[in-house]
Amino acid sequence: MTDELDRVRDHYRATGLTDRLKAALAVFGPEEERLKPEQLATLDQFHTRGLAATAELANLAVVTADMSVLDVGSGVGGPARFLAATYGCEVTGVDLSEPFVEAARYLTARTGQDGKVSFETGSALALPFEDGRFDAALLQHVAMNIADRPLLYREIRRVLKPGGKFATFDVVLNGGDPLYPVPWAKTPGESFLLTAEATCEAVEAAGFATLVRRDDTAAAKAWFSELRASGPPSLNLGVVMGQGFAEFTTNLGRNLMQDRLGILTAVFEAVPVN
Ligand SMILES: C[S@@+](CC[C@H](N)C(=O)[O-])C[C@H]1O[C@@H](n2cnc3c(N)ncnc32)[C@H](O)[C@@H]1O
């Protein structure tokens, strides 16, 4: 395992996460009571604009019930559960962080979705799936943790069927040096940001054609302004990432407001690779 993957894994090493989730979810009633996926939305969508962003991305990718979908860097599984609940598709999540995968499985059992949604521990740079297995792949707020973008996008291309969709929603470099810590990195040592242009070029070079490319920085800024005014919801990603998370989020908001960073939404189609 490379130093860089170890540093990223350390950042997401959420010790005791499943127990913390169990305790936090007691507000919804006893353990054996089934939860609705949307009850978890304030703590299981680990990206800017939360559930709304996942819903928009899935809509742009035109997810349907007959699809087998891969969520790369699936976190604690909120996007995967949302896709299965909304579209009836099968979703597989893969994530580097063992505690996150354990938590994702626990939450999925609590929502009663384990028949449609499953999770594996693994690296996006060596996806544990055969070629051409999936109809669509999602990548939300993950690429900024990955230095080897050509390999990342080649791996995603490899596991997609020809014509398969790749939908990404990520933080990109904009006009300046980012302030740290941020939600994906305490230091620049585990952060590997690219501009929107360089991101799309790297994706296309891996065997994709661009279908949609959108700058969603303004929507993210508006979301951060609202969050600042209302304060965080009582159940939030602090349960997952611990006390420091408020500072990480504040810095991401400042990076966006100061145009140091931006948000890219894009959907691509897998084309034949020469
Ligand atoms: C900010 S979270 C986003 C989680 C999820 N996509 C979501 O939006 O809720 C980033 C996730 O990417 C995962 N990750 C980072 N680098 C990875 C890699 N090389 N392979 C697989 N997962 C990775 C982390 O473990 C973490 O769960």
Side-chain angles (χ1 to χ4, degrees):
M1 203 48 66
T2 64
D3 286 356
E4 157 208 319
L5 282 189
D6 285 339
R7 283 200 301 273
V8 171
R9 197 184 279 104
D10 270 351
H11 179 70
Y12 295 106
R13 196 180 300 283
T15 311
L17 175 55
T18 300
D19 286 337
R20 281 204 301 284
L21 286 167
K22 276 184 194 170
L25 296 177
V27 292
F28 294 129
E31 180 79 17
E32 54 285 358
E33 211 155 279
R34 189 168 280 198
L35 296 171
K36 296 192 178 75
E38 59 270 24
Q39 286 180 289
L40 304 175
T42 54
L43 56 66
D44 74 359
Q45 304 280 329
F46 194 164
H47 50 258
T48 314
R49 292 179 55 233
L51 186 59
T54 303
E56 274 179 30
L57 193 65
N59 189 40
L60 286 175
V62 197
V63 173
T64 52
D66 56 348
M67 281 184 172
S68 178
V69 180
L70 174 65
D71 189 15
V72 181
S74 44
V76 296
R81 285 185 292 276
F82 168 81
L83 290 178
T86 307
Y87 297 98
C89 55
E90 232 170 60
V91 190
T92 305
V94 62
D95 200 282
L96 197 58
S97 162
E98 260 177 53
F100 277 24
V101 168
E102 182 192 301
R105 289 179 180 146
Y106 166 72
L107 294 174
T108 303
R110 291 284 310 261
T111 58
Q113 291 176 283
D114 18 13
K116 282 272 188 193
V117 182
S118 61
F119 299 93
E120 297 201 22
T121 305
S123 169
L125 298 175
L127 289 170
F129 309 107
E130 72 271 19
D131 296 3
R133 152 109 182 253
F134 296 100
D135 300 289
L138 251 65
L139 184 76
Q140 289 185 284
H141 281 44
V142 178
M144 64 266 189
N145 275 135
I146 297 181
D148 194 341
R149 297 296 185 89
L151 180 55
L152 168 68
Y153 300 130
R154 277 203 309 274
E155 270 298 272
I156 293 174
R157 172 68 189 83
R158 181 183 65 76
V159 299
L160 280 175
K161 293 177 183 157
K165 300 281 179 55
F166 168 42
T168 185
F169 175 67
D170 253 303
V171 182
V172 290
L173 272 182
N174 200 356
D177 285 340
L179 308 166
Y180 290 90
V182 284
W184 64 93
K186 290 181 193 75
T187 71
E190 56 273 6
S191 184
F192 307 99
L193 294 154
L194 292 181
T195 61
E197 189 60 32
T199 302
C200 291
E201 274 174 20
V203 176
E204 288 184 354
F208 288 98
T210 303
L211 299 178
V212 177
R213 175 174 162 182
R214 209 167 76 182
D215 179 347
D216 274 336
T217 312
K221 286 181 180 177
W223 183 81
F224 272 102
S225 296
E226 273 170 39
L227 191 66
R228 203 160 45 195
S230 65
S234 52
L235 273 184
N236 62 62
L237 276 155
V239 177
V240 175
M241 290 298 282
Q243 299 263 320
F245 195 72
E247 185 193 359
F248 301 175
T249 309
T250 302
N251 277 345
L252 174 54
R254 285 165 67 200
N255 280 318
L256 291 166
M257 295 301 181
Q258 295 171 11
D259 291 322
R260 295 168 190 264
L261 297 179
I263 300 286
L264 168 72
T265 294
V267 180
F268 306 87
E269 183 175 53
V271 294
V273 188
N274 297 324

